[in-house]
Amino acid sequence: MDRRQRSALSRFREGGHAWWETAISDVRPGHIVIRGEPIERLIESASYAGVVGLLVGNLRLSGGQSRLLEAALVAGVDHGVRAPSIAAARMAATCGIPLNCAVATGINLLGDDHGGAGEQCMELLYETTAAAAHDATSLNSVAEKIVAGRLGSDEKLPGFGHQLHKGHDPRRRPVLRLIDEAVAAGEIQGSFTRAALALETALARAKGHALGLNVDGVTAIVYCELGLPPAAAKGLFCLSRGVGIVAHALEEMQSGERIKGPLPPGDDMVKYTGPVERSSR
């Protein structure tokens, strides 16, 4: 039977297993070990990004790889009050709830539509590189087939284009530069980078105009190059965007304003579309 389909209680009663089992941390009185690394050593010598890689992906990242993961986390820290998660956290803060609750409000808005493109782009990159490994044609041809298939099904390509940054996402260039440096230094192989750029070229050709990699696309490249699974992407985005959510919620709390709703009273952006009001007679 698939372990995921078994109840925890039946597994425990079979014997040989503890109620909770984890390969992540061993915590006992006076003793904290993270995936085999004493917390004292991590505090003294590891970067935060390096510990993220260790915890989330069981990765022992080199200094260069940690720098690359850190850049990906920094790239998504904030996108202003246009971001639903930021706006929701600020609105929640004006309702007088504690900071942690306002932050949770924002984090809970991150899902497939807002915050999920990174995971979807990782799946696309893994699909593209796998197809290229089993296809006798060039990577560019594989990318063109995938783009044509997605567009033919009226699907968007996650990780490309941006609603606000029409010309180019300002986070694209610096992350790609760091990726190129990591490839040159032998820190990563670059296969997912090449796949992403091939998809970008194929998409521009199919559309007749550029739809460049956005922040979700370039961070997806980093996560794939480091060997992280797509399922980790939303969590990593929460770690990244969570910083901005904390900052915005705190700023709103300190402003002293109360109960700021989604729109000002009387705003014409709200329209009633229900039945005509019945007479009280």
Side-chain angles (χ1 to χ4, degrees):
M1 182 185 293
D2 189 329
R3 178 174 174 175
R4 292 171 297 179
Q5 297 176 344
R6 298 167 62 191
S7 75
L9 183 59
S10 63
R11 181 173 175 272
F12 177 69
R13 285 174 172 170
E14 288 174 3
H17 296 282
W19 184 246
W20 292 106
E21 293 186 0
T22 176
I24 298 172
S25 55
D26 179 15
V27 180
R28 291 175 273 121
H31 178 89
I32 304 175
V33 172
I34 308 295
R35 294 201 187 273
E37 301 290 339
I39 192 64
E40 298 90 340
R41 183 185 304 160
L42 294 176
I43 290 171
E44 292 175 350
S45 61
S47 67
Y48 177 70
V51 174
V52 169
L54 182 66
L55 275 165
V56 177
N58 195 19
L59 302 172
R60 268 71 178 174
L61 300 178
S62 67
Q65 291 171 332
S66 293
R67 174 69 188 93
L68 196 57
L69 178 55
E70 182 174 296
L73 293 172
V74 170
V77 290
D78 187 24
H79 202 244
V81 293
R82 289 183 175 87
S85 52
I86 298 289
R90 295 192 73 126
M91 186 170 65
T94 69
C95 294
I97 62 176
L99 177 63
N100 60 299
C101 295
V103 171
T105 299
I107 291 291
N108 283 335
L109 262 68
L110 300 176
D112 286 339
D113 292 331
H114 172 44
E119 177 179 356
Q120 297 155 16
C121 187
M122 287 183 72
E123 293 171 345
L124 176 63
L125 294 180
Y126 277 117
E127 175 191 344
T128 304
T129 53
H134 296 89
D135 196 306
T137 60
S138 68
L139 175 60
N140 290 335
S141 298
V142 170
E144 288 176 357
K145 291 178 184 176
I146 290 176
V147 167
R150 292 289 182 106
L151 296 182
S153 300
D154 205 24
E155 297 179 57
K156 293 183 179 179
L157 266 75
F160 297 88
H162 198 284
Q163 184 179 13
L164 179 64
H165 308 296
K166 298 296 186 183
H168 72 281
D169 191 320
R171 297 160 291 192
R172 175 188 182 278
R173 187 174 300 167
V175 176
L176 284 181
R177 184 171 62 248
L178 290 170
I179 290 172
D180 288 342
E181 292 173 0
V183 171
E187 299 282 3
I188 57 176
Q189 293 187 350
S191 57
F192 296 101
T193 311
R194 291 187 290 273
L197 293 175
L199 288 167
E200 185 180 56
T201 299
L203 182 59
R205 185 178 295 114
K207 286 285 192 178
H209 60 87
L211 279 174
L213 285 157
N214 58 32
V215 66
D216 299 303
V218 292
T219 54
I221 294 172
V222 172
Y223 300 151
C224 287
E225 292 285 359
L226 295 178
L228 288 160
K234 284 195 189 77
L236 292 171
F237 187 69
C238 287
L239 292 179
S240 174
R241 183 55 56 83
V243 179
I245 291 174
V246 169
H248 279 273
L250 181 61
E251 181 182 61
E252 197 62 59
M253 290 177 69
Q254 293 171 334
S255 73
E257 296 184 3
R258 295 181 62 248
I259 311 183
K260 181 183 290 185
L263 295 169
D267 195 293
D268 61 5
M269 292 180 69
V270 177
K271 180 182 180 181
Y272 175 69
T273 59
V276 175
E277 181 180 357
R278 292 187 297 174
S279 171
S280 59
R281 290 184 177 181

